[in-house]
Amino acid sequence: QKEVEQDPGPLSVPEGAIVSLNCTYSNSAFQYFMWYRQYSRKGPELLMYTYSSGNKEDGRFTAQVDKSSKYISLFIRDSQPSDSATYLCAMSVGSYQKVTFGTGTKLQVIP
Amino acid sequence: EAGVTQFPSHSVIEKGQTVTLRCDPISGHDNLYWYRRVMGKEIKFLLHFVKESKQDESGMPNNRFLAERTGGTYSTLKVQPAELEDSGVYFCASSQALPGGDEQFFGPGTRLTVL
């Protein structure tokens, strides 16, 4: 069983839609939770970084962590064509430690 | 400020040959990580340097892989001899040592194809 499960998609939505991306994990030792965005032929870029359960908002992006259910989500409001990319959930046990990634969900926002 | 750079961007080699990948982290970043993504799979951790010391090399697949970080600046990852299953994208990331946690900044990756 993988430590982190993520639906690979692809997910196709119209411009302006609310997008929900999700991951589940099995290792209860994970304490840090991240969402990365990766454009084609580029490296992953950190979008959101959270430590505790609950919600964290940054502009159109909201990250949600539920440690009791081992479930994390990323919500994108008012999605734009420029949001089209692969979104990777990631987590680590502690600071300065290896990051464990999900497989990534490919998102396409159609104008 | 320059980001993490990797060289080459793409390498095509024959099975049995040697390839060396290079990563230049962001200046001042003591932490340097190597990750790999093989086709259809998730990005997986290979190893972590703190300055010139290997902090965690639990993800290195076998002894055909050798990573170095001389002087605590740039790092190289050598694959010798390369096998078909080594094909994939190799990412390097770096981070500062800051209280409260680190953000790992990723390079664009080196795409390795072993024929």
Side-chain angles (χ1 to χ4, degrees), chain B residues 74-96:
Chain B
Y74 72 91
S75 175
T76 58
L77 180 65
K78 181 190 285 188
V79 185
Q80 180 183 30
E83 298 288 345
L84 298 178
E85 63 265 24
D86 300 333
S87 295
V89 182
Y90 290 75
F91 292 104
C92 175
S94 71
S95 71
Q96 273 182 302

Side-chain angles (χ1 to χ4, degrees), chain A residues 2 32 36 38 41-46 49 86 88 94-104, chain B residues 31 33 35 37 42-43 45 48 56 58 91 96-104 106-108 111:
Chain A
K2 289 181 183 177
Y32 293 85
Y36 284 83
Q38 186 177 18
R41 305 282 174 162
K42 302 285 187 183
E45 170 196 14
L46 185 67
Y49 184 93
T86 295
L88 304 153
S95 298
Y96 319 113
Q97 298 198 20
K98 63 181 179 182
V99 173
T100 301
F101 285 88
T103 51
Chain B
N31 295 285
Y33 307 82
Y35 293 86
R37 182 170 196 155
E42 66 274 20
I43 296 172
F45 169 82
H48 170 204
D56 179 0
S58 61
F91 292 104
Q96 273 182 302
L98 291 172
D102 64 330
E103 173 183 351
Q104 294 184 23
F106 280 76
R111 187 172 296 271

Side-chain angles (χ1 to χ4, degrees), chain B residues 7-114:
Chain B
F7 182 83
S9 57
H10 194 181
S11 180
V12 181
I13 61 172
E14 300 274 337
K15 176 183 170 181
Q17 289 185 322
T18 297
V19 63
T20 300
L21 314 181
R22 174 171 169 144
C23 168
D24 285 78
I26 293 172
S27 178
H29 281 196
D30 288 339
N31 295 285
L32 188 149
Y33 307 82
W34 283 98
Y35 293 86
R36 175 175 75 168
R37 182 170 196 155
V38 297
M39 182 75 77
K41 300 287 183 104
E42 66 274 20
I43 296 172
K44 282 195 172 179
F45 169 82
L46 294 177
L47 88 160
H48 170 204
F49 283 101
V50 177
K51 297 185 180 179
E52 66 275 7
S53 299
K54 291 176 185 173
Q55 183 75 15
D56 179 0
E57 50 186 328
S58 61
M60 294 289 265
N62 51 61
N63 59 10
R64 295 186 293 104
F65 289 76
L66 175 64
E68 294 180 323
R69 192 181 182 195
T70 307
T73 54
Y74 72 91
S75 175
T76 58
L77 180 65
K78 181 190 285 188
V79 185
Q80 180 183 30
E83 298 288 345
L84 298 178
E85 63 265 24
D86 300 333
S87 295
V89 182
Y90 290 75
F91 292 104
C92 175
S94 71
S95 71
Q96 273 182 302
L98 291 172
D102 64 330
E103 173 183 351
Q104 294 184 23
F105 293 85
F106 280 76
T110 292
R111 187 172 296 271
L112 175 64
T113 302
V114 182

